[in-house]
Amino acid sequence: MIEGPPEPTMAATRYRSHRQFLFTIFLLRNGISRRRRKNKIKNQCFFIRIMCLKKPILPFLSSRNRFAIPVPLPDRRRMLVCHDMAGGYKDDKWVQGGTNPDAFGIWHWYLIDVFVYFSHDLVTLPPPCWTNTAHRHGVKVLGTFILEGGGKDVRDTLLLTKKSAQMYAERLTELTTALGFDGWLINMEISLNSHQIPHLKEFVSHLAQSMHSKLPGSLVIWYDCVTIDGKLDWQNQLNEKNKPFFDICDGIYVNYGWKEDTPKNSAAAAGERKYDVYMGIDVFGRGTYGGGEWHTNVALDVLRKDDVSAAIFAPGWVYEHKQETDFQTAQNKWWNLVKKSWGLVQSYPKLLPFYSNFDQGHGHHVSVDGEQISDASWNNLSSQGFQPILDVTDASTSHSIQAYLNFKEVYNGGGSIALEGTLEQNCYTEIRLFQGELVLGEVPLILMYSSQSNGDSQLGLSLEFLSSTNKRKLLLTSSIQKQFSNDFSEVIETTTLEAPRISPHWSVQVGCIQMNGYKLTNINILCYRSSLEINEPKYISELVDKNNTLDCSSPSKYFAVLGNITLRTCEEPDLPPNASWIVESPYIKWTPSPEGTRTLDIKITWKLKDSCNHTVIDHYNVYVVKVAEGCNSHLDKLQNVPEYLGVAHVEAFYVSNLAVPSSTSCLKFTIQVCGVDGSSQRLEDAPFINLDIEGQ
């Protein structure tokens, strides 16, 4: 079960886990004393009622993402990934993010259809950070309901009557709809009495029906364990012993001990629903076909051949197991095996605006518009941008360009894409960023991207389009080069965006495209070298490469950085100004310290006055200014600058243990509204709240 505080702070608080919080609320509401708690939990630990989620913690636990579209799964073989992190979860417990830049994460979402958050606790709720980033990438997220050998009392209470089975199914549905994830994996790893079987079927059936009614596109998936006769007997296939459960829900997750001919037999048993059969693969290799680990693709190849779905368990093996390289490299290598075997299953962009800063949800500092606003290490999966594919699609030279995530030079967030290698004059390399399915209309498309480069290293963006009768390939670049004339349908020269807020270390290019009736199918980076005249000025950055060994004197050495990319219509986003918001502080706590300073815990909430969701908003950056008393001298004014506190993906933020110097007269908390297209509000226009120190 996930751990996390009732108020989202990086400091420990009175509750050590979301589960403990839920249990405590239940126990108190039902008059159960702490002395009786241990005995009662055995029988009542899963009596989780949605009323407890009306507490102030609810906004922090809820997922909020405009990409969570209630659509059914595609009619093809699918990829389910089940996350089990050493039986427990660590850095993802902090709902506002943590401080570990090396925290585990997944960023190859374009290979995944369904993500399951698994643990061995009775009810496992996916942390909102996982739901946010998965939904952004079009991936459904399931929690886990599991009963194991020690849960006989819970089993007997759950399956006591048809009515009890229905009631607890409805409680799970309420949890799902309140917290914003997409369904459940049901894992009944416990034997049953014969009279309990009808009630178990009622539980599964009613859960699926109530989920589909309340949340279209939701899923209930059965795990291959207990059979229809009540025996705990893993079948490792779909057959007559577990098919009755398969028939009343959305799919079956088959146990890992299958053989080479098992997938085709399971597909035959499923009939028209063969894609709802997810054949298990344990990455740790425990009895799994092919041995898992670096041979996981062996099992995937069989499943692809037999055209059934896959369920990969515990991809955290790459993180937990000692590798020859760093985790970033090992993670990319392992998932590339999956990509080579299985292929891409997600496509984006699908709608406008489309924006990515390539952030993986962790880093060593944070930037906005090219300016660093924090030098603290951090992790927060909710902050993941759309993740690039980074395949080399075309190279006009035998020399290669390596694309990798760069944590040093950052335009927005915590990461960018570095492009490094050797590239001769009059040659170029294309690297695929995204595979899309965006249908364009009459409104022109605006494309913006930020970049840095060394010497005459340059980059542009290549876009591929498809209509019912034609294919077109357009190149957007800051300078038109002769070598491109025969390789692209059109070369569009971009203009440089001039804005006072943009860092002088970055170049932001803007181009306009009119492709009515076409579908945007691919977005690529094009790496090339500019052909400079003798007197032509050239932009030289102070960038260094991955190994800090850049030799700008080399005629073929190439190095550039892509900071972000935005696709939108001509209309600029309308971010609601200060006057549109109500900002409040419902919880304030001061704690004195021996040094004469004080620390502050404060919860800040905000909402639009018109009480409607603003679809152009993606997240909020939260700052504080510690206004000094008097503030007359030039030095005092320099000290009264905004200090970045963190990012919020809901309309609430909790500040913990904020040190307040004795000279501070007022605290000004500012909430910078950030748009889905990567735009950010000027701090002068952002909503804020002042907290006077005097008398506190």
Side-chain angles (χ1 to χ4, degrees):
M1 189 63 182
I2 56 176
E3 292 186 3
E7 298 289 3
T9 168
M10 295 183 189
T13 52
R14 73 176 72 94
Y15 300 111
R16 293 190 59 82
S17 71
H18 296 154
R19 180 175 182 237
Q20 183 178 355
F21 171 78
L22 294 171
F23 285 175
T24 301
I25 293 296
F26 168 76
L27 295 170
L28 293 176
R29 291 187 68 91
N30 289 275
I32 301 172
S33 69
R34 291 185 178 273
R35 291 182 180 180
R36 298 172 56 200
R37 177 175 177 173
K38 290 184 179 180
N39 292 331
K40 285 290 183 180
I41 281 182
K42 290 182 179 179
N43 295 317
Q44 313 233 22
C45 66
F46 67 113
F47 286 40
I48 301 175
R49 301 184 182 277
I50 199 63
M51 63 184 72
C52 72
L53 293 176
K54 296 178 182 178
K55 294 291 178 177
I57 189 175
L58 177 57
F60 298 105
L61 296 182
S62 301
S63 158
R64 177 198 168 196
N65 200 293
R66 72 186 184 106
F67 299 98
I69 303 173
V71 296
L73 288 172
D75 187 26
R76 55 159 172 76
R77 56 181 170 82
R78 308 169 194 134
M79 174 65 71
L80 179 151
V81 172
C82 190
H83 170 52
D84 178 37
M85 181 63 176
Y89 305 95
K90 302 174 182 177
D91 295 293
D92 58 13
K93 66 185 176 182
W94 307 118
V95 295
Q96 288 184 175
T99 58
N100 178 15
D102 300 316
F104 176 76
I106 289 175
W107 52 86
H108 296 80
W109 295 103
Y110 45 80
L111 303 174
I112 304 172
D113 292 293
V114 181
F115 176 79
V116 179
Y117 195 83
F118 176 84
S119 80
H120 287 276
D121 282 283
L122 180 73
V123 176
T124 302
L125 306 175
C129 59
W130 283 102
T131 305
N132 285 335
T133 188
H135 279 178
R136 179 183 297 275
H137 291 87
V139 177
K140 294 183 183 294
V141 179
L142 309 185
T144 304
F145 181 88
I146 183 172
L147 268 178
E148 298 179 286
K152 294 181 180 180
D153 291 340
V154 175
R155 174 201 64 188
D156 293 344
T157 306
L158 169 67
L159 304 178
L160 181 63
T161 63
K162 177 180 178 180
K163 185 176 181 180
S164 67
Q166 292 177 344
M167 188 268 285
Y168 295 126
E170 291 169 3
R171 298 293 79 77
L172 292 180
T173 300
E174 289 172 350
L175 282 169
T176 311
T177 55
L179 299 182
F181 57 101
D182 304 292
W184 298 95
L185 172 68
I186 304 300
N187 189 350
M188 301 293 291
E189 294 201 40
I190 190 170
S191 59
L192 304 177
N193 300 319
S194 58
H195 68 274
Q196 294 175 324
I197 298 297
H199 298 156
L200 175 59
K201 292 180 66 177
E202 182 63 28
F203 172 70
V204 176
S205 175
H206 193 75
L207 177 60
Q209 293 173 19
S210 61
M211 286 292 303
H212 296 162
S213 173
K214 298 289 186 181
L215 189 64
S218 57
L219 299 174
V220 175
I221 294 180
W222 175 261
Y223 183 71
D224 165 33
C225 43
V226 70
T227 61
I228 195 62
D229 56 9
K231 293 181 179 179
L232 184 56
D233 187 10
W234 296 268
Q235 299 300 295
N236 300 304
Q237 63 181 319
L238 177 66
N239 59 23
E240 70 281 356
K241 293 187 177 181
N242 52 30
K243 192 172 183 294
F245 299 110
F246 171 78
D247 290 339
I248 57 176
C249 66
D250 300 300
I252 184 169
Y253 182 150
V254 173
N255 192 50
Y256 315 103
W258 50 271
K259 307 301 180 183
E260 188 170 0
D261 60 346
T262 307
K264 65 180 68 174
N265 295 336
S266 296
E272 295 181 352
R273 292 186 59 200
K274 66 177 182 178
Y275 298 135
D276 295 333
V277 177
Y278 300 85
M279 304 297 295
I281 306 170
D282 184 358
V283 182
F284 279 81
R286 294 163 288 203
T288 200
Y289 183 86
E293 300 183 357
W294 294 108
H295 305 288
T296 300
N297 56 306
V298 173
L300 288 174
D301 289 343
V302 173
L303 302 183
R304 184 193 65 221
K305 176 177 63 71
D306 291 336
D307 201 27
V308 296
S309 298
I312 292 179
F313 180 75
W317 171 84
V318 181
Y319 187 80
E320 298 172 40
H321 185 74
K322 184 175 177 58
Q323 305 293 346
E324 295 179 357
T325 61
D326 60 273
F327 172 61
Q328 182 85 197
T329 303
Q331 173 91 320
N332 289 332
K333 177 182 176 182
W334 188 88
W335 281 100
N336 280 336
L337 293 174
V338 176
K339 179 170 65 175
K340 184 177 180 180
S341 172
W342 202 254
L344 305 180
V345 300
Q346 299 288 351
S347 296
Y348 31 83
K350 293 182 179 180
L351 51 83
L352 293 175
F354 175 79
Y355 170 77
S356 179
N357 58 359
F358 318 116
D359 197 324
Q360 286 185 355
H362 60 98
H364 302 285
H365 49 260
V366 178
S367 294
V368 173
D369 294 333
E371 293 290 348
Q372 184 173 308
I373 60 173
S374 172
D375 60 359
S377 296
W378 63 278
N379 67 277
N380 187 341
L381 285 173
S382 290
S383 296
Q384 269 196 4
F386 280 101
Q387 292 301 298
I389 301 169
L390 300 184
D391 284 339
V392 175
T393 61
D394 182 33
S396 57
T397 174
S398 58
H399 299 295
S400 62
I401 297 293
Q402 178 189 8
Y404 57 88
L405 189 76
N406 176 31
F407 295 99
K408 296 179 181 179
E409 290 78 32
V410 178
Y411 187 77
N412 267 339
S416 60
I417 295 175
L419 303 134
E420 176 189 1
T422 54
L423 192 63
E424 301 296 337
Q425 289 285 357
N426 300 317
C427 297
Y428 64 83
T429 295
E430 279 190 83
I431 297 174
R432 180 164 52 168
L433 270 180
F434 301 108
Q435 176 179 286
E437 50 182 54
L438 177 65
V439 178
L440 302 179
E442 296 181 357
V443 179
L445 182 68
I446 301 298
L447 184 146
M448 304 171 63
Y449 64 93
S450 61
S451 64
Q452 294 186 20
S453 60
N454 267 322
D456 61 356
S457 301
Q458 299 293 328
L459 64 81
L461 291 183
S462 163
L463 281 68
E464 299 177 33
F465 298 90
L466 179 67
S467 73
S468 57
T469 59
N470 194 18
K471 290 183 179 180
R472 297 197 70 196
K473 189 172 184 179
L474 275 59
L475 174 64
L476 284 84
T477 177
S478 59
S479 60
I480 297 179
Q481 307 290 309
K482 292 181 179 179
Q483 72 250 38
F484 302 141
S485 58
N486 297 325
D487 297 337
F488 295 90
S489 306
E490 183 180 356
V491 179
I492 300 174
E493 187 170 8
T494 58
T495 58
T496 301
L497 180 65
E498 302 289 347
R501 296 175 57 198
I502 297 175
S503 168
H505 301 294
W506 289 86
S507 171
V508 178
Q509 300 297 315
V510 183
C512 183
I513 302 168
Q514 182 74 62
M515 296 292 291
N516 185 19
Y518 280 81
K519 179 169 68 174
L520 174 60
T521 56
N522 281 288
I523 303 175
N524 310 315
I525 305 173
L526 186 129
C527 304
Y528 68 97
R529 306 178 72 84
S530 59
S531 301
L532 300 176
E533 301 295 335
I534 296 176
N535 297 323
E536 184 178 356
K538 62 180 181 179
Y539 173 75
I540 300 178
S541 169
E542 297 180 353
L543 294 178
V544 293
D545 69 358
K546 190 176 183 181
N547 300 310
N548 298 312
T549 58
L550 185 62
D551 179 11
C552 291
S553 64
S554 170
S556 60
K557 188 68 176 180
Y558 180 95
F559 189 77
V561 174
L562 179 65
N564 67 350
I565 177 176
T566 300
L567 291 171
R568 60 173 175 82
T569 60
C570 292
E571 297 181 5
E572 293 190 10
D574 181 21
L575 299 178
N578 181 334
S580 303
W581 298 87
I582 299 173
V583 186
E584 298 176 318
S585 52
Y587 174 83
I588 299 173
K589 178 184 177 182
W590 290 95
T591 304
S593 67
E595 294 79 17
T597 61
R598 289 180 291 178
T599 61
L600 172 68
D601 291 1
I602 182 172
K603 177 182 176 182
I604 305 169
T605 63
W606 54 92
K607 62 181 179 180
L608 287 166
K609 292 179 180 179
D610 60 9
S611 300
C612 66
N613 292 325
H614 214 293
T615 56
V616 302
I617 299 174
D618 182 74
H619 64 274
Y620 309 87
N621 292 325
V622 183
Y623 303 80
V624 64
V625 174
K626 300 173 183 177
V627 181
E629 291 179 323
C631 191
N632 295 320
S633 70
H634 178 66
L635 180 61
D636 286 336
K637 292 180 180 180
L638 288 177
Q639 291 175 341
N640 291 333
V641 295
E643 174 188 344
Y644 175 74
L645 295 176
V647 61
H649 294 270
V650 293
E651 285 73 36
F653 191 80
Y654 190 85
V655 183
S656 177
N657 293 329
L658 178 67
V660 181
S662 58
S663 60
T664 304
S665 63
C666 175
L667 296 173
K668 179 181 179 180
F669 294 96
T670 301
I671 298 95
Q672 182 182 38
V673 183
C674 300
V676 294
D677 67 336
S679 59
S680 55
Q681 209 170 35
R682 295 193 314 160
L683 293 186
E684 306 92 276
D685 300 330
F688 67 91
I689 187 170
N690 288 324
L691 179 63
D692 292 327
I693 306 300
E694 185 177 357
Q696 296 289 345

